[in-house]
Amino acid sequence: MATLLPAAAWTIAMALLPWWVGLPLWLLLMVGAVMFRHRIEHYAQLSRRGLYWGLPGVLFASQRALGGDLLAWGCALLGALVGYSLLALMDSLLDRRTRRSPAAAPTPEWNELALAPIGPPVHIIELAPVTWTDARCEFRDPDGESVRYEQRGSGRGRYVFAQGRVIERASPHCCFGPGGRWFAARLPGDRGEILWDRHTDHVHRLAGWALSGWEGERPWLSRGANGVPAPVHEVLGRGRRR
């Protein structure tokens, strides 16, 4: 009842006012319903109620201005059909925009921003040290197969593996990777490294590179003893493959 009485009073007031006064007021309420939908929700709801209850009063004032005959009532009924259809369309559009509007994300506190990680996660590389073996002493590969080193000259020779692979022009200093995939030997005169990938059966002779260590089964090399280590896939483009 508390809501119905003000609404009925508004309808009567719009009916008693001239149409050229009531119609601008009614249009002003439409503007308020649109403008206040995100700012002052209470005013937006009052404007929308005023549109629904004020339209009959505006139509009654309009038919009275037209003479109050049958044609005037027909125009008023047509105006009611068009007006309420527009109001229903407006309500549908406003409600849809309200549902699609994303809720404001809570602003993080300054301490959360200070502790938030910046940039991609860091992966720390820890290289296992290289353990060199003198091939002139008897040794075997991790698969249990025999390896023979044949001395050909001062500081140079060749490795003969049980699988049939022969690595020429190599020094007697050699080692296997932790998983046995890679075999490494030094070039004569410590001028670089020889790497044999036993999975792909590729031999890489990398002059000027020194084996720095192992990350898992992957060798890392550097330019000289004090160079920055790089993984083998970055180094192979600069070495010679055969």
Side-chain angles (χ1 to χ4, degrees), residues 98-123:
T98 302
R99 286 193 299 269
R100 288 185 178 180
S101 298
T107 303
E109 299 292 337
W110 67 269
N111 54 348
E112 296 177 359
L113 293 175
L115 297 176
I118 300 176
V122 178
H123 176 59

Side-chain angles (χ1 to χ4, degrees), residues 13-42:
M14 292 292 283
L16 296 177
L17 289 173
W19 70 270
W20 45 270
V21 176
L23 182 60
L25 290 176
W26 191 81
L27 295 176
L28 187 62
L29 289 176
M30 182 174 291
V31 174
V34 175
M35 295 294 294
F36 291 128
R37 73 182 188 279
H38 293 314
R39 301 178 182 179
I40 308 176
E41 184 67 24
H42 178 65

Side-chain angles (χ1 to χ4, degrees), residues 55-73:
L55 182 59
V58 174
L59 294 175
F60 183 82
S62 299
Q63 68 83 27
R64 187 180 58 196
L66 293 176
D69 55 5
L70 187 60
L71 179 61
W73 281 104

